[in-house]
Amino acid sequence: MTGSLPSAEELYAHLKHALSEKLRDTDPASTYLVGIYSGGAWLARRLCTDLNLPYQPGTLNTSLHRDDFSRIGLHSQVLPSQVPFEIEGSHIFLIDDILFTGRTIRAALNELYDYGRPASVRLGVLIDRGGRELPIAPDVCGGVLPLPRGRNYVLATDDALRFTLTMEEEVRHV
Ligand SMILES: O=P(O)(O)OC[C@H]1O[C@H](OP(=O)(O)OP(=O)(O)O)[C@H](O)[C@@H]1O
């Protein structure tokens, strides 16, 4: 990634528009957003509010379903998943902030199926940074911003759920 980053709010506006178009294709009575903890959970909350969706989004915590969880370690505060609606037969939109290798989404699918078998599962992400290690692609996306392995985006959220995007400082070895 070279040059300046787009603003997170621009990316969000694009994702929101693309998602609202997709939501027209499914039955609103059986379609739900499910955010992946933690960044995707905030994003799903804001999308539900801005799109006037009449429910609280579900939240999945994939930490224990990751196939590489011993490498990434557990976050100090691990919140349980919360799915306050029927998954069986529903149309689910998984929401996450950043899509990288795809391992989090694979883990989220495992976790989701513990609750029941959805009629369909689609994926919405704010940023696709490339680097996939699994055959997973977003159905809707705020922006494709390729980033080399070893670099990271930092997405911050304020109290009003507005997002800011920066790049993690590059660690230089001397
Ligand atoms: O495609 P992957 O390689 O799995 O990477 C993408 C995941 O990594 C980040 O989550 P992180 O584990 O840093 O947790 P966070 O959402 O709490 O920041 C990001 O929010 C995605 O969930």
Side-chain angles (χ1 to χ4, degrees):
M1 176 81 195
T2 54
S4 62
L5 288 175
S7 88
E9 288 298 313
E10 275 169 30
L11 297 169
Y12 174 76
H14 193 254
L15 172 64
K16 185 179 72 170
H17 177 73
L19 180 62
S20 69
E21 295 284 309
K22 281 279 180 195
L23 288 175
R24 287 188 196 162
D25 298 339
T26 55
D27 175 9
S30 61
T31 304
Y32 301 102
L33 303 192
V34 174
I36 298 174
Y37 184 80
S38 62
W42 297 114
L43 185 55
R45 268 180 58 178
R46 180 158 168 207
L47 286 165
C48 266
T49 301
D50 291 353
L51 295 173
N52 295 314
L53 302 178
Y55 58 85
Q56 290 294 314
T59 303
L60 289 181
N61 191 325
T62 61
S63 307
L64 295 172
H65 279 80
R66 290 272 303 214
D67 56 9
D68 56 351
F69 77 91
S70 59
R71 176 167 61 84
I72 59 177
L74 288 179
H75 289 194
S76 53
Q77 193 195 17
V78 178
L79 298 182
S81 298
Q82 290 183 319
V83 183
F85 37 74
E86 184 69 37
I87 291 291
E88 186 78 30
S90 297
H91 299 279
I92 301 299
F93 249 101
L94 285 179
I95 301 293
D96 207 354
D97 52 357
I98 294 169
L99 178 60
F100 180 26
T101 65
R103 289 176 191 276
T104 298
I105 301 306
R106 188 208 63 79
L109 288 168
N110 266 23
E111 170 99 12
L112 191 66
Y113 272 73
D114 287 348
Y115 289 86
R117 255 192 327 183
S120 68
V121 184
R122 300 190 204 292
L123 175 63
V125 299
L126 191 63
I127 297 170
D128 179 354
R129 59 162 288 180
R132 218 76 79 242
E133 295 173 355
L134 294 169
I136 286 170
D139 296 278
V140 288
C141 178
V144 179
L145 305 177
L147 195 63
R149 190 167 290 278
R151 303 295 313 274
N152 284 308
Y153 292 120
V154 179
L155 201 60
T157 315
D158 66 15
D159 288 346
L161 298 185
R162 293 179 64 83
F163 300 103
T164 49
L165 177 66
T166 53
M167 191 100 75
E168 201 173 70
E169 286 300 311
E170 196 167 8
V171 178
R172 293 184 184 280
H173 299 284
V174 288

